[in-house]
Amino acid sequence: MQRSACIILLLLFLCTLFGIISLCHCYSDSWNSMLLGSSSVSNPVVAPKMRSIRMKRLLQDRHDENHNTEREGQEICNNQNLAGSISETGTAISEARTTNSAGNEQHQIHPTPRSPMGFFDLSVPYTDLPPPDRSTRTKLVTKALELGYSGVAYNRTIKGVMSDRDRCSIPLLTLPSLLKHSPHLTSSVGFHRHLLGVPRATPFRQYTRLTVCAETLAQAQALNSGNPILKTYDLVAVKPMNQFAFDQACEKLEVDIIAIDFSEKLSFRLKQPLVKAAIERKVYFEITYAGLIADVQTRRQIITNAKLLVDWTRGRNIIISSAAPTANEFRGPYDVANLMSLLGLSMERAKAAISRNCRTLISNAVRKKHYYKEAIRVEVLPSGEESDGNKPSSSDSFNWDPISSGEGDLLLDDLAKAFSNSSTKATKMVKAIDFASVIDSMPSLGFQVNDLIAGTNVVVSQPLATQKNIVSAPQLNVQSVATDGVQEQSVLCDTMLERQRFKSENPQKLYSSSDTTKAVNDVIPIEDPSITTRAEPNSPDETDGIATDIHGVQSQKSAIANAVNDVMEIEVPTTTGAEPTNSAESMGITKEIHDVQSLKSVTAKTFKDAMEIEAPTTTGAETKNPDGIDGVTTEILNVSTTNCELNVVPSQVNLTYHALDIGLSVACNPDSEVQVPTNYQDTDIPGPHNEEADSIKNNDIQSDLVDEVLTGKEKKSLPLDSALDKSILEVDELTEPGDDVVVLANQVPVLDSSDEMTATDDYSVANHETAEVIMHEQEHGKADVELSYPALVQSESGKSKAKRKKPHQVTFLPLKRLLHATPFKKARKSKRRHKMA
Amino acid sequence: MVGFKNRYMTLEVILDPNIELAKKDHVIITTYNVTKAIKDSILVNFGECGLASSLGSFQVKYVNWITRLCIIRASREDHQKVWSAITMVRSIAGCPVIFNLLDLTGSIRACKIAAFKCDELKFEQYKLVVRSNLSAQDTQKMQFYLHKIKCLEH
């Protein structure tokens, strides 16, 4: 009896054991399939738990602490003597991080030439007072320039009701005036920039900013995008004085910055949901540090109050600026970043706050601005007489306008040489694209200028008609389509012109999405009777046409801007938000598809060219248009496809950068790069109508790309998280157009080959896409986002489960380990390497 | 193995950033000046205990009044505090100053290399500024200072 009972118990026990084993099996199988060779699952050796925990932490932290995780990864790497493998990732940032955190014995401050992220001080106080104050500003700016900043924004504060007097009238400083104050500026600037890792030839930018003190509802409501006075400034900030104003600022007001005066006792509370809402809307909070330096009492207040903000925002969406009344309170960028540690901001975040966040802010703001401000600027300039001064400016990624004084050009000798083909000595603001002058001035870089002109002429004339038809439709979707299309075209125009500049100039030059938008505005020929200088819409001269187009834009600016902003907002959260970057990529890719299709609706040959240009850099064949002027397009492609991409659809700049990153990573390995387009081709041929399929394919492409980049040969060994890591880097890069351009510049020749390959891709989506389809795609994209997100979550949880179950697997499934030993080992290394980097 | 870790900061002192004083009123920076100014700053901002804890490793190792370069050592735990305190120094002996960090290293060797380079570059700039007034004495002094950097000890 007892024995039978024992036997039964034993049997039961064995059954449960087998059940557990089978469960493990199932899990592992599913993990394997999901993770494409889950190295984490199968690597049973060498402190798997520790590594897994770290990996998990890395994954979870990646949204917030991209840098930190990578540094952690690097530390782990160092501990395990894998530092040598870090350099596998192609981005300069990773290398910089390696060198940065590699050892205590190394220099810890100076970044190796990484993504050249300039430092900005977005709050140099400006008052309307008579000249004596002018010199203060000059001294401040001189100091800023000397200390290595790449840009400043002159901040003007107004209270009460805005009137027409408040239009921007801040005079930008010129280099001679600065040199007067400090004759040996050049050498000092060069010295400091070299130490900071900022390229010497970076132009020094000046922006204008308005801070509106908001108290009442009326004042708050004035801060909307329709306000013409606000549009005269580059940046708009709100200074809430009470709780209501703060609520409005966080949730509704269309401002770039929320500037709270921390030096006095706060009259309102910083509530977590409000702060969160503001972050999601891409509004930045500003902390000024001059008070910390100036006075002991203010120091106390600032630290108390600002610490609250830092806690609520967890360090995100913060920018640091000086608001220094005199040059005595000004400090260098790294010193400022260190001061922020007093507020609880980590060094990484502080550095980002003073460089990357500012840059994002500026690029967004200037992009928004140029949708409708160009009209005014264009009026000033005579259309046919544009000097080359504009071109190098326009090749900048977001703002050469403030450099109207030719500030940055004369910094150093080599910089001046870089601008040798442009007469940038003259103080000219960037205006409409002047093809004629550009073409004349540009040294020929093997570029078929005539074809370009022909192409652009076609561009100018055709879209006018088509655009009008499209734009007239009242739908918001259509408008967004039109803007996208226009952007595409402008991309083409811009890129063609800028390409030449790009090569001749400092690789630091960034493409101005602003220019793209300018061209966008140019092309949309919406009538605006209010603008007088608008000439005949179909002028053969391209500049004129563009000028008129710009005016046309003005009238519809609010609507279009809203549309574009909506488009932007849809995109941006997905790309830079906390969602898995993979989904963001797919979103971006679908957006690219969307844009391409919208372009199609507008249909100009050059549009197709533009698309073709974009195609290699973005997701590839989807944007291919077989109808394009192949001759022109190939030439265009040959020049700087990557540059094009940056300008594609300014609202999607982030996404293009994203795609560019993908291209970049691919470009590291020329072989793999060549393979990439083929991948695209294969996947795209089936047809565009399966948008979801496409985006899913894109995901696959992504992972394939990552595979190729990292290991070169391994197929499924790369888990999704490595792709995620890549996209982590890319997310960082998303809002760093400059960086991408710089890196891309190196990759231009490499990518050209891929371009040619893809040039013949069929854009199977060649059909007219209506707005509904586009919106449909957007939804698809969103669905993809959601699809991929749970997948990712699952994969993460799966991985962690895998790690936990590893010991069991080791004992029960030794065969499995043997089977998967070799591929996973490599994958694991690559994954770790990838993570580290 | 040396368990005690330090951080060596190479800073430059920018005198009179707002150009308020005449050139000749500029204070000559010395080890003593700088030490005093920084200690005061630490005392004000971090209190007695802050000062006491950072004072163990805190030392101004090298000051060059011609090129206005200085090397300061701090312990690894406190180097951020000391650095913040240095940033908040507003004046030395009545002359408004800005401390600007050029380099932060973990070892004296790396610091010497960086400081040497910075010193040379800054001396070039100084020569540009002074131009004709450059005296042989200054050049000699510079040689002396550069030699001093090389001899810097832990």
Side-chain angles (χ1 to χ4, degrees):
Chain A
M1 272 300 288
Q2 283 180 341
R3 269 179 60 193
S4 59
C6 287
I7 290 168
I8 291 166
L9 277 172
L10 196 63
L11 278 171
L12 273 171
F13 177 64
L14 281 170
C15 290
T16 50
L17 263 177
F18 279 127
I20 293 169
I21 293 166
S22 59
L23 272 174
C24 295
H25 239 312
C26 288
Y27 271 122
S28 70
D29 284 345
S30 64
W31 288 326
N32 279 338
S33 60
M34 275 171 54
L35 300 176
L36 305 171
S38 49
S39 56
S40 61
V41 173
S42 57
N43 190 346
V45 205
V46 190
K49 261 215 171 110
M50 279 304 293
R51 228 183 266 149
S52 63
I53 291 169
R54 280 183 185 144
M55 294 291 188
K56 198 162 59 151
R57 211 182 340 132
L58 285 172
L59 270 177
Q60 286 165 359
D61 290 346
R62 72 172 181 275
H63 296 308
D64 290 342
E65 296 283 349
N66 290 335
H67 301 277
N68 273 344
T69 54
E70 303 203 24
R71 192 154 23 110
E72 276 177 45
Q74 281 189 344
E75 287 168 5
I76 297 169
C77 245
N78 291 336
N79 295 339
Q80 297 169 352
N81 295 325
L82 285 171
S85 59
I86 292 176
S87 56
E88 207 182 32
T89 57
T91 59
I93 287 180
S94 59
E95 285 172 8
R97 295 219 185 92
T98 317
T99 54
N100 273 346
S101 64
N104 295 334
E105 304 288 318
Q106 307 288 327
H107 286 213
Q108 294 189 353
I109 285 286
H110 297 287
T112 52
R114 49 188 274 174
S115 44
M117 185 58 56
F119 299 100
F120 297 90
D121 182 10
L122 292 184
S123 175
V124 170
Y126 168 83
T127 52
D128 295 338
L129 294 182
D133 261 27
R134 199 61 57 77
S135 70
T136 319
R137 189 159 68 106
T138 317
K139 288 181 203 165
L140 249 176
V141 174
T142 320
K143 192 53 51 185
L145 188 54
E146 272 184 11
L147 287 173
Y149 283 91
S150 310
V152 293
Y154 303 115
N155 181 20
R156 179 160 169 221
T157 314
I158 59 171
K159 286 184 190 279
V161 182
M162 266 190 273
S163 71
D164 211 39
R165 282 184 302 110
D166 295 326
R167 277 182 187 268
C168 184
S169 60
I170 300 177
L172 301 178
L173 296 176
T174 62
L175 193 58
S177 63
L178 295 189
L179 283 174
K180 195 159 57 89
H181 265 282
S182 157
H184 307 283
L185 197 58
T186 314
S187 61
S188 168
V189 170
F191 171 64
H192 284 107
R193 281 196 173 173
H194 170 70
L195 284 174
L196 288 175
V198 178
R200 273 170 200 250
T202 317
F204 185 74
R205 306 166 204 279
Q206 306 173 67
Y207 306 100
T208 55
R209 172 186 146 172
L210 179 71
T211 303
V212 181
C213 298
E215 271 175 316
T216 65
L217 179 64
Q219 289 171 2
Q221 280 175 344
L223 285 163
N224 56 4
S225 58
N227 192 332
I229 299 168
L230 294 183
K231 296 201 189 102
T232 59
Y233 292 88
D234 292 322
L235 295 165
V236 176
V238 64
K239 188 164 143 187
M241 310 292 267
N242 52 27
Q243 186 71 51
F244 170 74
F246 181 66
D247 293 347
Q248 290 288 305
C250 287
E251 286 172 350
K252 293 206 194 61
L253 297 183
E254 309 217 2
V255 291
D256 302 310
I257 307 169
I258 298 180
I260 307 172
D261 187 11
F262 291 109
S263 54
E264 274 114 32
K265 191 163 171 359
L266 282 184
S267 51
F268 52 87
R269 282 178 196 253
L270 304 166
K271 292 196 194 141
Q272 161 80 312
L274 292 175
V275 169
K276 208 165 154 199
I279 291 179
E280 268 154 35
R281 281 180 61 223
K282 304 290 168 191
V283 179
Y284 286 83
F285 291 95
E286 184 193 44
I287 300 179
T288 60
Y289 66 80
L292 282 175
I293 296 169
D295 185 33
V296 184
Q297 294 301 325
T298 35
R299 206 176 288 173
R300 200 182 293 178
Q301 280 295 332
I302 289 178
I303 294 183
T304 317
N305 297 332
K307 217 173 182 333
L308 285 173
L309 180 70
V310 171
D311 288 341
W312 285 133
T313 62
R314 293 200 291 158
R316 302 166 54 197
N317 277 49
I318 289 185
I319 62 165
I320 306 175
S321 59
S322 74
T326 66
N328 288 336
E329 281 87 30
F330 211 77
R331 292 293 182 269
Y334 283 127
D335 294 315
V336 170
N338 180 254
L339 271 183
M340 290 298 118
S341 68
L342 294 173
L343 300 177
L345 206 55
S346 76
M347 195 63 178
E348 307 281 355
R349 298 239 186 235
K351 282 194 207 162
I354 201 169
S355 59
R356 193 180 330 123
N357 290 358
C358 292
R359 199 184 177 112
T360 321
L361 190 65
I362 288 170
S363 63
N364 289 343
V366 174
R367 194 193 308 149
K368 254 193 283 180
K369 186 183 181 196
H370 282 145
Y371 277 134
Y372 31 78
K373 174 145 186 206
E374 282 313 293
I376 298 170
R377 301 232 188 115
V378 172
E379 282 184 78
V380 173
L381 278 180
S383 55
E385 293 162 318
E386 276 300 294
S387 85
D388 306 337
N390 302 334
K391 262 310 114 193
S393 336
S394 61
S395 69
D396 207 353
S397 89
F398 48 85
N399 43 32
W400 261 96
D401 308 319
I403 315 297
S404 63
S405 49
E407 197 81 27
D409 300 338
L410 303 176
L411 273 178
L412 293 166
D413 291 341
D414 40 78
L415 183 58
K417 275 189 220 131
F419 288 92
S420 59
N421 48 358
S422 64
S423 57
T424 47
K425 311 295 195 235
T427 66
K428 286 226 176 103
M429 307 250 283
V430 177
K431 302 294 191 235
I433 298 154
D434 180 18
F435 295 109
S437 68
V438 167
I439 287 160
D440 290 339
S441 62
M442 279 306 171
S444 81
L445 298 167
F447 212 60
Q448 299 287 332
V449 166
N450 292 334
D451 290 340
L452 272 183
I453 296 174
T456 51
N457 272 327
V458 171
V459 169
V460 170
S461 48
Q462 272 191 4
L464 285 177
T466 53
Q467 290 282 9
K468 272 183 184 151
N469 298 335
I470 291 166
V471 171
S472 59
Q475 299 165 19
L476 207 62
N477 296 338
V478 174
Q479 284 171 351
S480 68
V481 171
T483 45
D484 289 340
V486 171
Q487 290 160 1
E488 298 294 355
Q489 185 196 13
S490 65
V491 170
L492 175 69
C493 303
D494 278 342
T495 53
M496 289 194 293
L497 300 166
E498 294 166 4
R499 202 85 31 68
Q500 302 174 14
R501 294 254 167 209
F502 182 87
K503 284 229 164 135
S504 59
E505 286 170 357
N506 193 327
Q508 170 62 14
K509 280 277 170 246
L510 305 177
Y511 282 99
S512 52
S513 57
S514 63
D515 286 323
T516 316
T517 61
K518 258 185 276 168
V520 172
N521 300 334
D522 299 344
V523 178
I524 298 179
I526 303 161
E527 284 90 10
D528 188 0
S530 63
I531 296 173
T532 54
T533 58
R534 204 161 30 119
E536 50 292 334
N538 287 319
S539 66
D541 182 45
E542 289 157 0
T543 53
D544 287 344
I546 290 167
T548 55
D549 292 335
I550 293 173
H551 299 311
V553 179
Q554 182 96 27
S555 62
Q556 294 277 336
K557 60 192 174 209
S558 53
I560 290 178
N562 285 339
V564 174
N565 284 340
D566 291 342
V567 170
M568 282 163 64
E569 294 210 310
I570 293 166
E571 298 164 355
V572 175
T574 59
T575 56
T576 59
E579 294 148 58
T581 51
N582 220 349
S583 58
E585 287 168 352
S586 66
M587 183 65 173
I589 291 161
T590 48
K591 274 275 162 237
E592 292 294 352
I593 301 169
H594 149 258
D595 286 332
V596 173
Q597 289 168 344
S598 65
L599 264 188
K600 293 298 300 189
S601 63
V602 180
T603 64
K605 278 190 176 181
T606 48
F607 273 65
K608 294 167 189 176
D609 296 345
M611 283 154 44
E612 288 180 6
I613 294 164
E614 303 166 54
T617 52
T618 58
T619 56
E622 267 131 358
T623 61
K624 283 310 169 193
N625 188 342
D627 309 335
I629 305 172
D630 290 333
V632 182
T633 52
T634 46
E635 279 142 18
I636 294 166
L637 287 171
N638 287 340
V639 182
S640 60
T641 54
T642 54
N643 298 332
C644 276
E645 300 234 337
L646 288 177
N647 288 324
V648 169
V649 185
S651 64
Q652 296 189 351
V653 159
N654 292 342
L655 297 167
T656 52
Y657 297 154
H658 210 58
L660 283 170
D661 284 330
I662 300 162
L664 267 180
S665 61
V666 174
C668 303
N669 185 355
D671 298 336
S672 65
E673 184 189 352
V674 170
Q675 292 169 26
V676 167
T678 53
N679 284 341
Y680 288 145
Q681 288 176 21
D682 294 339
T683 53
D684 293 337
I685 285 170
H689 296 291
N690 306 331
E691 285 112 3
E692 279 170 312
D694 284 325
S695 45
I696 291 169
K697 277 178 214 155
N698 291 330
N699 281 335
D700 293 340
I701 294 168
Q702 285 275 328
S703 45
D704 288 344
L705 269 180
V706 174
D707 282 340
E708 284 160 3
V709 172
L710 290 183
T711 62
K713 290 309 159 214
E714 291 161 29
K715 274 81 178 203
K716 310 199 184 230
S717 52
L718 281 179
L720 269 178
D721 55 349
S722 64
L724 288 172
D725 288 335
K726 214 85 222 102
S727 38
I728 290 166
L729 288 172
E730 288 156 358
V731 167
D732 286 345
E733 306 260 290
L734 272 180
T735 54
E736 298 172 355
D739 313 332
D740 294 307
V741 177
V742 176
V743 188
L744 285 171
N746 303 332
Q747 305 297 341
V748 164
V750 187
L751 279 169
D752 285 340
S753 58
S754 68
D755 296 339
E756 286 159 33
M757 283 191 59
T758 53
T760 54
D761 281 349
D762 285 332
Y763 180 60
S764 43
V765 198
N767 307 322
H768 261 280
E769 296 288 347
T770 61
E772 290 86 38
V773 176
I774 290 154
M775 294 310 291
H776 189 55
E777 287 172 26
Q778 285 183 3
E779 289 162 62
H780 276 297
K782 284 193 185 135
D784 288 334
V785 173
E786 289 150 16
L787 273 177
S788 45
Y789 187 61
L792 284 166
V793 171
Q794 208 175 352
S795 73
E796 287 176 34
S797 61
K799 249 189 285 186
S800 56
K801 276 193 208 148
K803 285 159 200 158
R804 263 184 264 121
K805 292 235 187 316
K806 236 176 274 177
H808 294 291
Q809 285 182 0
V810 172
T811 50
F812 291 129
L813 309 164
L815 278 179
K816 201 172 182 100
R817 180 158 43 108
L818 283 174
L819 281 172
H820 296 291
T822 15
F824 287 133
K825 221 194 284 181
K826 258 198 226 166
R828 182 153 187 83
K829 253 201 207 145
S830 68
K831 184 173 103 161
R832 204 185 318 113
R833 250 181 274 146
H834 190 44
K835 276 213 158 60
M836 300 318 150
Chain B
M1 240 5 282
V2 181
F4 197 67
K5 299 288 186 185
N6 290 320
R7 290 286 176 263
Y8 295 86
M9 299 181 268
T10 312
L11 304 143
E12 66 163 342
V13 184
I14 301 173
L15 291 175
D16 200 13
N18 220 12
I19 315 175
E20 288 159 355
L21 306 177
K23 265 281 164 43
K24 48 181 159 39
D25 287 343
H26 284 179
V27 65
I28 310 270
I29 48 172
T30 63
T31 340
Y32 176 71
N33 277 355
V34 172
T35 319
K36 185 163 186 313
I38 298 176
K39 280 200 194 145
D40 288 341
S41 174
I42 301 178
L43 182 63
V44 165
N45 293 307
F46 296 103
E48 300 283 351
C49 300
L51 177 62
S53 62
S54 47
L55 214 53
S57 249
F58 172 73
Q59 193 188 357
V60 177
K61 307 251 356 152
Y62 164 88
V63 170
N64 184 342
W65 58 268
I66 303 172
T67 60
R68 315 220 200 103
L69 198 83
C70 46
I71 298 178
I72 292 171
R73 181 190 71 189
S75 67
R76 191 170 53 175
E77 301 88 40
D78 295 321
H79 83 278
Q80 280 200 316
K81 280 206 297 196
V82 170
W83 184 9
S84 316
I86 291 173
T87 311
M88 291 198 264
V89 171
R90 291 205 69 198
S91 66
I92 295 181
C95 176
V97 290
I98 291 180
F99 275 93
N100 186 33
L101 188 100
L102 302 177
D103 205 4
L104 176 67
T105 65
S107 70
I108 189 73
R109 197 169 7 115
C111 180
K112 284 201 285 200
I113 296 166
F116 194 84
K117 226 187 320 172
C118 289
D119 222 4
E120 282 182 331
L121 289 171
K122 292 216 79 185
F123 189 55
E124 296 302 317
Q125 286 177 31
Y126 173 76
K127 283 200 278 199
L128 275 178
V129 172
V130 171
R131 236 169 302 190
S132 53
N133 298 346
L134 184 68
S135 64
Q137 197 186 18
D138 282 347
T139 330
Q140 245 183 350
K141 278 260 161 188
M142 265 314 292
Q143 294 305 322
F144 165 70
Y145 277 122
L146 290 176
H147 178 70
K148 198 170 163 202
I149 291 184
K150 290 200 193 115
C151 300
L152 270 182
E153 286 289 310
H154 170 81

